[in-house]
Amino acid sequence: MEYEWHASSEPFLRHFEVAAWEVVEVLYSPQRWSRPATTAQALAVLTVWGRTEDGRPLVVVLRPRSYPDRWQILMAAPMGSRQLAEFTAWEATRDE
């Protein structure tokens, strides 16, 4: 897969105190959970739930581009407590 940054992603990263390298770590993590979602503006997106190499749990929001296997990074944020509980339960079902 290929990723590109959306022009407005930087303010979201700053607001949520997420570094660009953390987003990349989650996207290329072998233990990530891709889940479809819809934004408040009814935009269909893909969320990728994962952890950085240091273990920080993040949700990355992507939208598809017109090219196959190419995604645009819209934003990323730390997981909320319910998301973290759901993700931790999912992780427990994975083979190491």
Side-chain angles (χ1 to χ4, degrees):
M1 289 217 192
E2 292 184 38
Y3 302 100
E4 62 185 49
W5 293 92
H6 188 276
S8 68
S9 63
E10 187 177 342
F12 284 107
L13 296 180
R14 254 195 328 272
H15 174 77
F16 291 111
E17 298 179 350
V18 175
W21 58 266
E22 290 179 302
V23 173
V24 172
E25 285 184 357
V26 167
L27 291 175
Y28 288 99
S29 168
Q31 187 102 325
R32 64 189 180 283
W33 192 15
S34 300
R35 306 185 68 195
T38 305
T39 68
Q41 297 77 25
L43 176 67
V45 295
L46 180 69
T47 63
V48 178
W49 300 28
R51 294 182 190 272
T52 64
E53 290 177 11
D54 289 337
R56 185 178 186 199
L58 298 176
V59 175
V60 180
V61 180
L62 309 168
R63 73 174 177 176
R65 303 305 294 153
S66 57
Y67 307 105
D69 292 328
R70 188 174 194 113
W71 296 86
Q72 190 171 57
I73 303 165
L74 300 177
M75 65 167 290
M79 287 183 196
S81 58
R82 278 191 258 158
Q83 290 170 317
L84 182 56
E86 192 174 346
F87 182 69
T88 302
W90 175 83
E91 285 178 309
T93 68
R94 306 287 99 193
D95 291 331
E96 300 254 354

